[in-house]
Amino acid sequence: MNARRTARGLSLHAVVWLIAAFVAVPLLYAVISGFKSTGELTTNPFGLPEQWKTGNYTGILSDGMFWRQIANSAGIAIGTTCCTVAASAMAAFVLARYAFRGRELFYTLFTIGLMFPFAVAVLPLFLMLRTFGLLDNPLGVILPQAAFGLPMTIVILRGFFRTIPAEIEEAATMDGCGKFRFFWKILLPMARPALGTVSVLAVVASWNNFFLPLLVFSDPKWQTIPVGVQQFQGQYSTDFALVLAYIVLAMVPALAFYAVAERQLIGGLTAGATKG
Amino acid sequence: MPSFVSTLAKERTEEAVPAHPPLPARSRLRGWGDWASVAWFLVPALVLFLVFVLAPIVVAVYTGFFKWGGIGPMDDFVGFANYTKLFGDQVFLGDLGRGLYLIVLSITVQLPFALFTAVLLNQRLRGRAVYRMLFFAPYILSEVVTAVLFTMIFLPGAGMADHLAGLLGLEGLQGKWLADPSTVMPTLFVVMIWKYFGFHMMLFLAGLQSIPSEILEAASIDGAGAWQRFRHVTLPLLGPTIRISVFLSIIGSIQLFDLVWVMTAGGPNHSSETMAIAMFQFGFKRYQVGYASAISVVLFMISLVFSLFYQRYVLRRDLSGAVTSGAGR
C-alpha cells in the first residue's frame, strides 16, 4: 500500500515536471541563449555558454530606443488604465445603484461589446483615427483601448458596487451627501480592491497590445515594446542571440508586474470570465 | 499568508453569499435633476463606446459595399460584389477552414490538457503554487514576444526544435516546422497551447475550488473510485466553467492575429492565413480597403451569430441558475 502510494506520488511529480519543462524550456532557452554569440548558438544550442557573454544584454540596455519603447508602453498603459477605470467606474456606479428606465438596455449594450472582436474594428478604426488626425498620437491608441476595455471593467465593477450595502448610502444621503460626493468619497475608497483588479487587467491588456500601436504609430519615437520587438527582429534577423536577448529584456517588466499583481490579475480574470 | 488559493476560495464565497441586495426604493430617480446627474455619469463611457467600438463596425459595414483603395472619395458602390468575390475565393474559404481547424484542436486538445493540469495541481502536491505561477506566466507575455521566441526556436537549421528533433530521431521534421505548408498549422497550434493553456487551467482551478468537498466525500463513501468521482461529480459541476472556456477558445481562435502575423504572416503560400490576417493583408498591404472591410464584416457576423447562439442555447442554463443572474440579465 505504502509502496503504491509512493509510486503514485512519483509518477504525479513526473507528469508535472514534464509539463513544467514544456513551459519553462523555451523561456530558459531564450535567457541562456542571450549570453551566447550567434555562432555558438548554432553549434551549441542546448548547453550552457562556454563563456557567459553579457554584451547582448548590456548593449540593448545602453540603447536609448529600448528604454524609449518601455517608457512609451508604460505611458500608454497608464493613460489607458486611467481612462478605462474612470469611465467604467462612473457608468458602473449608476448602472449598479439607480433604477431608471433603460438601465438594462445600457448595460446590455456594454456587455455586447464583450463579444466584439478587436480585429473586426481595427480597419475602420484606423480610417476614423486618420480622419480625426489621431495617427502618431498616443491618444489614438489610448482612447480605442480604453473603449474596448469598458465592457469587462463595467461588468466587474457593477458586480462589486452592488455588494456595498444600501444603508451606507442612505446614511450618507441623510448627512447631506450628494451623488457625486458619495461616489467619490465613499464608494470609490470602499471599492479599492475591485479597482485594483480592473486596473491590473487594463495595464496588462494595454502593455501587450500590438495591432493598434503598429497601425497608429509610423514614427519610431512612439513605438511601444511589442512593436519594437517585431521591428528589432526584422532588423537583426540574422543575429539570433541578440534578438533573444531583446525579447528576454522585453519580458522582464511584464513578468515583474505579474509577480507583484498576481492575485488581482487572476482574481479579475476568473471573476470576469465567469460573470461575462 | 494570502496565497492565491485562499483568494480564489474567498472570492467564491464572496460571490456566493451576498448575491445582490435589492435596490433601495429611494435610489429611484425623481425629477430632472436626478436624471441629469445619472446622465453625466454615463456620458464618458457611452461616448467612448459609441465612437470607438460601435461606430467602426457601422463604418466597416458601409465601406464593405464599395470598391475603395482607402484614399480619395468612396464613390464606386458595388453592392454585395465584395461578398460574392469573397465566397468564391479559395484562399478565403481556406481561412475559414483553418479557423475551424484551430477551434476543433483547441477544444479537443488544449482544453482537456488544461483540465488535466488543473486537476493535477488541485491535489496536494509539493510546490504546486510555483507550478501555477509558471504555467500561467506565458499568458502574461505579449503575443509578439511569444511569437518571436518561437520563431527562433523553429528556425530552420539553427533553432532548438531542429536539434531536438535530431536527438529524438525525427529528422523528417527538421527544417520544416513553420516553413512547410503541411506542418505550419500544427506548429502554430503548439505555440497556442504553450501560450494559453495556463489561462484555461486557472479558470478550471477556480471552478474546482468551488466544488464542495462534501459532495466528493459522499461519493467516495458510496464507493465511487477516483475516475468515477471525476466523471460523475467533478465534470458535471465544472460544466459552467467548461462552457465558458469553450466560448473563449472559439472566439480566440476565430480572431487569432498577432501570433500568426509575427511568426508566418500567413505563409508559406497562405497555408497559415487566418481571416484576420487576410483582412490585414488586403486592408493595409494591398490597399483593397472595401474588400478588407467585407472580410471584417464576415468575421464580425460569424462572431456575433456564434456568440448569440452560444449565449442563448449553451450558457442560458448557467446564467439562469447562477447567483450572478441577479446582475440583471
Side-chain angles (χ1 to χ4, degrees), chain A residues 103-104 115 117 130 158 162 208, chain B residues 21 23 70 140 255 307 327-328:
Chain A
R103 180 182 69 166
E104 295 313 316
M115 53 198 187
R130 196 176 64 184
R158 173 169 141 138
R162 287 201 147 200
N208 288 342
Chain B
L23 287 164
I140 301 303
Q255 300 173 20
S307 301

Side-chain angles (χ1 to χ4, degrees), chain A residues 8 12-13 15-17 19-20 22-27 29-30 41-42 45-46 83 87-88 90-91 93-101 103-104 106-107 109-110 113 115-130 132 134 143-144 146-148 150-151 154 158-159 162-164 166 169-170 173 179-180 183 204 207-211 214-215 226 229-230 233 237 240 243-244 247 250-251 254-255 258-259 262-263 265-267 269-271 273-276, chain B residues 2-4 7-8 11-12 15 18-21 23-24 26-29 34-35 37-38 40-42 44-46 48-57 59-60 68 70-71 113 116-117 120-121 123 125-126 131-142 144-145 148-153 155 158-160 163-164 167 190 193-194 197 199 202-203 206 244 247-248 255 257-258 261-262 276 279-280 283-284 289 292-293 296 299-300 303-304 307-308 311 324 326-329:
Chain A
R8 194 174 157 272
L12 206 67
H13 275 279
V15 174
V16 180
W17 263 90
I19 303 173
F22 170 63
V23 176
V25 165
L27 294 172
Y29 171 72
L41 193 56
T42 40
F46 291 128
C83 283
S88 301
M90 288 168 67
F93 168 59
V94 288
L95 290 174
R97 304 192 70 90
Y98 293 95
F100 58 93
R101 194 188 288 268
R103 180 182 69 166
E104 295 313 316
F106 283 123
Y107 184 65
L109 189 71
F110 284 121
M115 53 198 187
F116 278 8
F118 188 66
V120 167
V122 81
L123 179 62
L125 199 55
F126 173 80
L127 300 173
M128 286 168 58
L129 293 172
R130 196 176 64 184
F132 298 159
L134 285 176
L143 295 177
F148 273 85
L150 289 173
I154 288 178
R158 173 169 141 138
R162 287 201 147 200
T163 61
I164 292 173
E169 186 169 2
E170 277 168 34
T173 315
K179 276 192 189 56
F180 190 77
F183 173 70
V204 171
W207 185 271
N208 288 342
N209 195 351
F210 168 65
F211 218 148
L214 176 72
L215 295 173
V229 165
Q230 196 223 7
Q233 184 210 9
S237 55
F240 313 136
V243 172
L244 284 167
I247 61 172
M251 285 177 197
L255 292 179
Y258 169 48
E262 184 218 3
R263 288 196 306 139
L265 184 74
I266 290 166
L269 284 173
T270 46
T274 46
K275 279 179 187 162
Chain B
S3 81
F4 124 84
T7 319
L8 283 180
E11 276 189 10
R12 286 280 132 186
E15 237 174 66
H20 295 293
L23 287 164
R26 63 191 332 284
S27 296
R28 241 161 240 293
L29 299 187
D34 272 4
W35 269 102
S37 60
V38 163
W40 276 117
F41 276 100
L42 268 179
L46 213 52
L48 264 180
F49 192 73
L50 291 178
V51 173
F52 293 105
V53 180
L54 290 186
I57 288 161
V59 172
W68 188 49
I71 302 165
F113 177 58
F116 173 78
T117 318
L120 211 62
L121 291 195
Q123 323 227 348
L125 189 76
R126 260 170 66 137
Y131 290 121
R132 267 175 207 173
M133 281 280 275
L134 175 68
F135 295 171
F136 190 73
Y139 185 75
I140 301 303
L141 302 177
S142 78
V144 179
V145 164
V148 173
L149 170 59
F150 279 93
T151 309
M152 293 293 152
I153 287 175
L155 217 56
M160 183 178 81
H163 288 272
L164 206 60
L167 288 178
V190 170
I193 292 190
W194 187 84
F197 92 94
F199 171 71
M202 278 302 174
L203 293 186
I244 289 284
F247 180 77
L248 295 175
Q255 300 173 20
F257 174 79
D258 297 12
W261 178 248
V262 178
M279 185 276 292
F280 190 83
F284 295 98
V289 175
S293 298
S296 290
L299 183 55
F300 171 62
S303 306
L304 186 71
S307 301
L308 292 176
Q311 302 226 332
T324 48
R329 234 170 273 266

Side-chain angles (χ1 to χ4, degrees), chain B residues 11-12 22 33 36 46 52 70 75 78 83 113 130 149 158 169 173 179 183 186 190 197 215 235 281:
Chain B
E11 276 189 10
R12 286 280 132 186
L46 213 52
F52 293 105
D75 49 14
V78 294
Y83 294 91
F113 177 58
V130 177
L149 170 59
L173 277 171
T183 50
V190 170
F197 92 94
I215 302 184
L235 210 52
Q281 293 278 18

Side-chain angles (χ1 to χ4, degrees), chain B residues 282-305:
Chain B
F282 281 109
F284 295 98
K285 300 285 163 186
R286 292 158 74 173
Y287 303 107
Q288 300 184 29
V289 175
Y291 193 59
S293 298
I295 299 177
S296 290
V297 173
V298 172
L299 183 55
F300 171 62
M301 290 309 287
I302 292 174
S303 306
L304 186 71
V305 169

